[in-house]
Amino acid sequence: RYYEYMFGHSRWRRRGRRPLAARAEPELLQLQVVIEAGDPGCDRHPHLASSEAYHLTVTEPVAVLKAPEVWGALRGLETFSQLVHEDDYGSFLVNESEINDFPRFAHRGVLLDTSRHYLPLKSILTNLDAMAFNKFNVLHWHIVDDQSFPYQSIYFPELSDKGAYSSNLIYTPTDVRLVIEYARLRGIRVIPEFDTPGHTQSWGKGQKDLLTPCYNEGQPTGSFGPVNPVWNTTYDFMTKFFKEISSVFPDEFIHLGGDEVDFNCWKSNPEVKEFMKKQGFGIDYAKLESYYIQNLLDIVSSYNKGQMVWQEVFDHKAQLKPDTVVQVWMENNYAFELSRVTGAGLTAVLSAPWYLDYISYGQDWKKYYSVEPLNFLGSEKQKKLVIGGEACLWGEFVDATNLTPRLWPRASAVGERLWSSSNVTNLEDAYKRLTNHRCRML
Amino acid sequence: AENEPSWDTPCTKLLVYVSTPGCDGYPSLDSKESYKLSVSKGSMLLSAETVWGALRGLETFSQLVGRDENGTYYINETEIVDFPRFPHRGLLLDTSRHYLPLRAILETLDVMAYNKFNVFHWHIVDDPSFPYESSTFPELSKQGAFNAMTHVYTASDVRTVIEYARLRGIRVIAEFDTPGHTLSWGPGAPGLLTPCYMGKALSGAYGPINPIVNSTYQFVTSLFQEVSTVFPDFFLHLGGDEVDFTCWKSNPEIRAFMKEMGFGEDYKKLESFYIQRLLDIVSSLGKGYIVWQEVFDNDVKLRPDTIIHVWKDNNMQYLKEMANVTRAGYRALLSAPWYLNRISYGQDWIEAYKVEPLSFEGSPKQKALVIGGEACMWGEYVDVTNLTPRLWPRGGAVAERLWSNETVRDVEDAYARLAAFRCTLLGRGVQAQPLYVGYCDHEFGGV
C-alpha cells in the first residue's frame, strides 16, 4: 500500500517503468527493508513493549530501512513515504537522509466511540489508515455505552439484539476480526472498552437483572441504574462475558471503564442499602463501586489480561494491581492527578487536554500541540510511569458524516506530541509541516 | 368503515397550478412564494401565484410523503396555506479563503432548496484568492487565484451556478467586497491597491484600494459593468467592511489628498469618499446594492433603497444596530447571530433558532424594513472536506426562523423535526452531521 501512497496519486499517472534514459542525477532504485530481530513479529500483534525504532538511510542506489521489529519498519516506511515528493515534471525525488527515530511515548492512541453513534466499518478502517499516517499505535475502541450496544456477543446475542440501535447497526465477530487485523497490519493495537458499572443502560435491554432497579418511596420506578453490584448473577455474567472478550480481542489489555458512576439509583434500592450495611460501607457508595471494580479486575486478571481504567477507579481508592493503567481524563488539575497516579506507582495515560470532541472556533490544534504531558510535580521514576496519551473523539455529536474532518488533522498535533522529542515545540514550524501533511492525507 | 385508509385509491398525480406565468424569469426580492397544498382522497392540488411558490410547495409536498413497513408510499390528507415570513432568506458561502469546487456549490444549492432558502450570497473574492474569471480583466484570476487552472470559476461555471439556482427559486447575489479585503486583486491589477509606506520608503506591502487615483474608478466602472451583466439579480453586494486605515495613513500622497479635501485625520471620510463614488457607479449601471454595516456606521451618504447587512455580534449589540439602521429608514438584513462558521461544542443550532430578528426597540414601520437575514459560512476553516456537515442541519435552524411564523419557537418540537429532517437529508445523499445521539434508518456509509 505504500507504493500507492507514494506514486499512485501522481498527476502524471505513469504506470510501470520509465525508460532508463540517461539522467545526470543519481537514481534511487530500491528501498531495502531489514528487520533485525530473529523473530520479526510479522505474524503477531503489537504490544506495549514492542520496539518501534527504525534507522533510515537514503542514499543512491539503494536506501536501507533497518528496524529491530516489524513495527519499527512500518513507522520507517511511513516516514520514507513522506520524504518522497514529486517535482513539477512528474519525477519522484527524495533527499539523501540519515534518520534514527523512535517514539517518545509507547502508548499513542485515538479513542473512537461507536455507541453514541454507530460508525460503519469503512469509517473505522479509514481512520486506522489516518492513524498509521500519524504513527498512532492504539485504537481505544469505546464500543458500547448507555445509548447503544452494537457489539454482537457470541455468548450473549441478546445484548446487541435488544441493545443496538437497529439490527444492521452492529459489529459481527467478522467485523471485529477485520478491524483487529486491519489495525495489526498497521502496527496498531486494538484495546476494547466495555465500560461498567456506569454507562450501561443499553446492556439492560438484552440482559435482564444486570442493572440495578431504581426505587422511589419503596416501589421500583421501572428505570435502571448502573450494574447491580450485590447480586452473584452479575459476577457470573461478567465472568462469562469477559471470557469471550478476552479471547476475541488479542491485546494484552482490556479497558474496563469505571467512570461517572451515578450513585442515586443504588442509594434508592433497598437490597443495595442492605448490602452496604452488611459490608460496613456506611453511606460511602464509592466503597461499593470499588467493591464491584475489584471483583471485576480479579475476573479479568484471571484471563491474563491487563486492565485499563478511567481515573475515578483510582480516585475512589479501589485496590488496583500494580500494572493497571489509569487513564486521566478530567481536565481540572490533570497535572496534579498525574502526580498522584504515578506517585502511587501506577502507570498513566493522558487524555484530559485532548478531548477532540470539544470543538471550538479557530486553530485549536495549537493548544493540543502545546501540551507537555510530563509537566507535573514528580520524580524521574514517576515521569517514566506516564506511558503516553490518547486523543478522544466522543460520539455525542459525531458520526461518519463528520468524523474524519473533525479528527484530522487536529489529532496529528497529538500524534506528534506523543512521538517526537519534548523539544519539538515550535508552532510556526509545526504549522508549515502540518498543512503539508494535511494535503498529503487528502 | 369510516376510518379505513383507502389503499384502493392510490394518489397518482399532484396537480400543480401556477396563476402567473414566469418560468423563464428570475426570482427577485418581490417574488411571491406563497402556496396552497390540498391533499384529499382522490385529488392532490398544489396551487401558487408564481412558479417560485410552486417550488416551495413542491418541497413541502416531498417532505409529507412517507413510506410504511410494506414499502408503500403514503401521504396524509392535509390542507396547507403557507408563505414566508421574510422575503430574503440567504446563505453566504466564501470561495476566497478556500476554493469550493462547482459541485460543492451546486450541492449546497440543492440543500438550500430543501430548506426553502432563496438567496445565495456568493462572497466570491477576498484577500487570499481571486477565483472569479473576469472577461474584462483576465489577469485578476490569472495572478490572483490559488491556481489559475484549477481553482477558478469560469464564465460557464458562473452561468451554471446562476441557472442551477434559478431552477430552485434561488437568487444569486454576488459580493465583490471593496475597498478592503482586496489583497488578491493587486497582482492582476497593478496600481489598484494602495502601496504602503514605512517612513519615507515603500514597504512593499499593499493596503485597500487606492481611493485617490482616477484609474481606480475607471477600473471599478469596467469591472462592475461586467459584473452587472454577468449576474442578473437586481442587487449586488458591495462589501465595505473592515477597512484597515493603517496603509492609507502611511501613504504620503493619500495624506496630501486628505489635507486637500479637508478630511483632517478622519479616514472614515476617505472611505466614504470611495464608497459614495462606488455606489454612484453601481446605481448608474441599474443595480441596487447591499453593503455591510460599517458603510452605514461610518456615515456614508446612501441612497434610501440601500440594504444594510448587520453582521457585528458583540454581546447582542446587533439588536441596537438593527434599530438604528431601520430608524434611519434603511432596509436591514440580519447575519450577526448566524455566523455558522463559529462552531462550538454541543447543540449550537438552538441559539441560532432562538434568535428573534424583530426583538429590537422600534415601530412596526421600522420592523417592516427588516427584509430577512443570512446564515454565513465564512471559509477560513472550511473547504469541501467539511462544508456540508458543518452547514447542515445547523443551517436549517436559521431557515425555519426566516420562513416560519414568529410563534414557531418550541425547541423540543424543533429538535424532533430537525433530527428527522437530518435523516431525510441523509436519505437524499447529503452528508449532514448529527444533532445529538441516535441513528437514522439510512446511515451515511462513511468516507
Side-chain angles (χ1 to χ4, degrees):
Chain A
R1 62 180 180 271
Y2 272 95
Y3 185 90
E4 189 64 29
Y5 295 149
M6 289 185 279
F7 310 116
H9 303 284
S10 165
R11 288 202 293 272
W12 308 87
R13 300 203 165 273
R14 218 162 308 183
R15 303 276 170 201
R17 291 262 182 85
R18 281 175 57 225
L20 285 171
R23 288 176 65 89
E25 311 91 349
E27 229 176 286
L28 180 66
L29 299 170
Q30 204 180 60
L31 170 69
Q32 260 184 20
V33 181
V34 179
I35 297 168
E36 293 160 326
D39 176 8
C42 297
D43 296 325
R44 277 203 285 284
H45 289 90
H47 54 104
L48 184 60
S50 295
S51 166
E52 292 175 283
Y54 65 90
H55 187 116
L56 179 62
T57 309
V58 181
T59 182
E60 62 134 355
V62 170
V64 179
L65 168 58
K66 264 208 198 117
E69 294 178 18
V70 67
W71 319 112
L74 285 174
R75 304 301 166 232
L77 207 42
E78 177 58 40
T79 296
F80 180 76
S81 75
Q82 294 188 18
L83 294 174
V84 174
H85 54 279
E86 207 180 341
D87 72 8
D88 293 329
Y89 305 99
S91 307
F92 291 95
L93 306 170
V94 62
N95 287 352
E96 269 200 58
S97 336
E98 181 87 23
I99 296 177
N100 230 326
D101 197 11
F102 57 91
R104 180 181 176 199
F105 293 103
H107 183 119
R108 306 179 305 282
V110 168
L111 179 152
L112 288 185
D113 170 358
T114 57
S115 173
R116 274 59 179 266
H117 285 97
Y118 178 78
L119 292 179
L121 221 49
K122 193 153 165 229
S123 185
I124 299 177
L125 300 183
T126 301
N127 276 282
L128 284 169
D129 278 329
M131 285 169 65
F133 301 157
N134 289 270
K135 296 190 173 73
F136 275 102
N137 67 355
V138 173
L139 171 65
H140 174 164
W141 192 350
H142 187 90
I143 187 168
V144 299
D145 202 298
D146 281 328
Q147 285 83 359
S148 74
F149 196 105
Y151 172 75
Q152 187 175 57
S153 159
I154 304 154
Y155 289 156
F156 301 99
E158 293 274 287
L159 285 171
S160 60
D161 273 352
K162 301 261 163 54
Y165 275 138
S166 78
S167 55
N168 58 324
L169 299 182
I170 59 171
Y171 302 107
T172 63
T174 309
D175 294 335
V176 173
R177 273 195 295 273
L178 176 55
V179 170
I180 294 171
E181 179 62 7
Y182 199 89
R184 188 189 77 84
L185 291 172
R186 286 152 183 75
I188 298 171
R189 300 162 55 200
V190 177
I191 301 182
E193 177 185 347
F194 287 89
D195 192 352
T196 67
H199 285 280
T200 44
Q201 289 297 299
S202 66
W203 300 51
K205 304 226 166 85
Q207 184 69 16
K208 244 170 47 89
D209 301 331
L210 177 67
L211 304 183
T212 313
C214 309
Y215 278 67
N216 192 7
E217 299 180 353
Q219 291 304 317
T221 64
S223 61
F224 298 87
V227 168
N228 194 324
V230 321
W231 290 336
N232 284 334
T233 47
T234 291
Y235 301 104
D236 293 338
F237 169 81
M238 291 298 169
T239 303
K240 198 151 182 228
F241 185 74
F242 279 96
K243 179 166 186 222
E244 173 183 323
I245 301 307
S246 300
S247 82
V248 167
F249 292 90
D251 197 80
E252 331 157 89
F253 280 85
I254 300 183
H255 200 302
L256 302 175
D259 62 316
E260 299 181 313
V261 184
D262 185 349
F263 296 149
N264 285 327
C265 187
W266 283 350
K267 286 183 183 165
S268 76
N269 183 298
E271 270 184 82
V272 174
K273 286 204 290 256
E274 182 62 40
F275 186 83
M276 288 285 287
K277 223 166 159 184
K278 257 205 279 199
Q279 295 282 324
F281 289 159
I283 50 162
D284 189 359
Y285 282 81
K287 293 205 165 92
L288 180 59
E289 179 195 277
S290 298
Y291 167 86
Y292 166 83
I293 291 278
Q294 268 148 217
N295 281 339
L296 183 62
L297 293 180
D298 285 340
I299 289 170
V300 174
S301 292
S302 74
Y303 296 125
N304 276 323
K305 291 291 191 185
Q307 304 106 35
M308 268 185 83
V309 291
W310 293 110
Q311 68 180 73
E312 288 98 317
V313 172
F314 167 79
D315 296 342
H316 295 169
K317 305 195 193 346
Q319 291 275 56
L320 300 174
K321 317 239 178 287
D323 55 353
T324 308
V325 179
V326 177
Q327 191 161 7
V328 176
W329 70 271
M330 293 172 145
E331 258 239 89
N332 209 3
N333 248 332
Y334 69 82
F336 185 53
E337 181 74 2
L338 284 175
S339 298
R340 294 203 312 138
V341 170
T342 56
L346 295 164
T347 26
V349 158
L350 180 62
S351 282
W354 290 324
Y355 264 37
L356 300 195
D357 57 314
Y358 284 162
I359 57 171
S360 58
Y361 180 69
Q363 294 198 53
D364 56 355
W365 71 272
K366 290 185 182 171
K367 76 172 178 228
Y368 302 135
Y369 191 77
S370 304
V371 170
E372 175 33 67
L374 302 189
N375 249 0
F376 63 91
L377 288 170
S379 64
E380 278 307 302
K381 200 156 158 243
Q382 271 177 266
K383 307 235 165 161
K384 285 210 173 71
L385 290 172
V386 177
I387 56 170
E390 290 185 1
C392 297
L393 194 67
W394 293 104
E396 283 87 346
F397 305 100
V398 175
D399 75 0
T401 58
N402 60 358
L403 191 153
T404 305
R406 189 162 291 197
L407 193 49
W408 311 102
R410 292 192 308 143
S412 304
V414 181
E416 177 154 300
R417 180 52 51 234
L418 290 172
W419 176 281
S420 297
S421 169
S422 60
N423 59 4
V424 178
T425 53
N426 184 291
L427 279 171
E428 265 178 54
D429 178 67
Y431 176 81
K432 287 198 199 108
R433 290 181 293 106
L434 191 53
T435 33
N436 251 12
H437 187 50
R438 183 251 174 176
C439 289
R440 180 168 40 229
M441 289 199 281
L442 281 192
Chain B
E2 245 184 72
N3 293 326
E4 254 181 54
S6 23
W7 299 127
D8 49 334
T9 49
C11 14
T12 51
K13 262 202 297 236
L14 169 70
L15 275 170
V16 181
Y17 175 71
V18 173
S19 53
T20 319
C23 294
D24 297 328
Y26 285 93
S28 73
L29 182 58
D30 310 310
S31 295
K32 300 243 177 356
E33 296 173 281
S34 55
Y35 65 90
K36 283 204 183 77
L37 184 58
S38 286
V39 177
S40 63
K41 270 203 278 262
S43 95
M44 300 191 294
L45 176 62
L46 165 59
S47 60
E49 235 182 280
T50 68
V51 67
W52 318 118
L55 286 173
R56 305 300 167 232
L58 209 43
E59 176 57 42
T60 297
F61 179 78
S62 75
Q63 293 185 25
L64 294 174
V65 177
R67 202 170 184 195
D68 68 16
E69 326 84 55
N70 305 321
T72 313
Y73 293 98
Y74 67 88
I75 183 169
N76 286 348
E77 280 197 63
T78 186
E79 282 292 317
I80 296 178
V81 174
D82 197 11
F83 56 91
R85 181 180 176 201
F86 294 104
H88 182 123
R89 305 178 306 282
L91 180 66
L92 179 151
L93 283 187
D94 170 358
T95 57
S96 173
R97 275 58 181 265
H98 285 96
Y99 178 77
L100 291 176
L102 200 57
R103 62 183 164 83
I105 299 179
L106 299 184
E107 188 200 62
T108 303
L109 288 170
D110 275 329
V111 192
M112 281 172 66
Y114 305 156
N115 286 268
K116 296 191 176 69
F117 273 111
N118 66 356
V119 173
F120 170 40
H121 175 166
W122 194 349
H123 188 89
I124 188 167
V125 297
D126 202 299
D127 283 329
S129 76
F130 196 105
Y132 171 75
E133 252 185 18
S134 161
S135 50
T136 322
F137 301 105
E139 289 294 300
L140 284 173
S141 60
K142 259 221 199 106
Q143 308 284 341
F146 281 138
N147 181 313
M149 295 302 295
T150 55
H151 289 55
V152 287
Y153 302 107
T154 62
S156 161
D157 292 336
V158 174
R159 276 195 298 271
T160 301
V161 169
I162 294 171
E163 178 63 4
Y164 201 87
R166 187 187 78 83
L167 292 171
R168 287 153 183 74
I170 297 170
R171 302 162 53 202
V172 178
I173 299 182
E175 176 184 351
F176 284 84
D177 192 352
T178 68
H181 286 280
T182 45
L183 284 179
S184 68
W185 302 44
L192 178 67
L193 303 184
T194 310
C196 311
Y197 278 72
M198 188 87 92
K200 293 241 167 77
L202 288 164
S203 73
Y206 292 90
I209 287 185
N210 193 330
I212 70 174
V213 287
N214 280 332
S215 52
T216 288
Y217 300 100
Q218 279 156 12
F219 170 86
V220 162
T221 303
S222 302
L223 180 65
F224 278 93
Q225 213 150 39
E226 173 188 322
V227 169
S228 300
T229 328
V230 169
F231 292 93
D233 197 83
F234 175 69
F235 285 93
L236 284 175
H237 200 301
L238 304 178
D241 62 315
E242 299 180 314
V243 184
D244 184 353
F245 297 147
T246 325
C247 185
W248 282 352
K249 287 182 181 165
S250 77
N251 184 300
E253 281 165 39
I254 295 204
R255 282 204 304 271
F257 184 81
M258 288 287 285
K259 215 162 163 194
E260 224 183 282
M261 303 293 290
F263 289 161
E265 289 296 309
D266 190 358
Y267 282 79
K268 286 206 201 136
K269 295 205 164 88
L270 183 58
E271 180 190 33
S272 301
F273 173 81
Y274 167 83
I275 295 272
Q276 257 139 226
R277 290 181 73 169
L278 172 65
L279 298 183
D280 286 340
I281 289 168
V282 174
S283 291
S284 71
L285 293 167
K287 292 290 197 190
Y289 40 75
I290 309 177
V291 289
W292 295 110
Q293 67 179 76
E294 285 96 319
V295 174
F296 168 79
D297 296 341
N298 294 350
D299 293 317
V300 177
K301 256 208 295 282
L302 299 168
R303 291 177 114 87
D305 59 352
T306 312
I307 299 178
I308 311 291
H309 202 157
V310 176
W311 69 271
K312 289 183 164 174
D313 181 19
N314 26 332
N315 284 337
M316 305 279 278
Q317 284 301 327
Y318 69 83
L319 287 171
K320 264 218 188 104
E321 180 77 1
M322 297 289 278
N324 290 343
V325 167
T326 52
R327 197 180 317 117
Y330 298 107
R331 285 176 293 182
L333 274 179
L334 181 61
S335 278
W338 289 326
Y339 266 35
L340 299 188
N341 55 308
R342 296 206 152 254
I343 58 172
S344 57
Y345 179 71
Q347 296 198 54
D348 59 354
W349 69 272
I350 295 179
E351 281 316 299
Y353 188 75
K354 284 201 190 142
V355 170
E356 176 34 64
L358 303 187
S359 62
F360 58 89
E361 307 233 335
S363 66
K365 200 159 155 237
Q366 265 177 267
K367 305 216 170 173
L369 289 173
V370 177
I371 56 170
E374 292 186 358
C376 297
M377 185 53 81
W378 293 103
E380 285 85 347
Y381 306 100
V382 175
D383 74 1
V384 72
T385 60
N386 60 359
L387 174 67
T388 302
R390 191 164 290 199
L391 196 42
W392 316 104
R394 291 195 306 143
V398 182
E400 177 154 301
R401 180 53 49 234
L402 290 172
W403 175 281
S404 296
N405 194 292
E406 172 172 5
T407 54
V408 178
R409 22 186 5 99
D410 184 88
V411 171
E412 262 182 62
D413 178 68
Y415 174 83
R417 288 182 295 105
L418 192 54
F421 182 63
R422 184 253 171 176
C423 291
T424 303
L425 289 181
L426 283 190
R428 293 186 184 183
V430 178
Q431 202 170 322
Q433 68 179 12
L435 282 184
Y436 191 50
V437 301
Y439 72 102
C440 293
D441 285 331
H442 296 106
E443 287 282 293
F444 177 70
V447 73

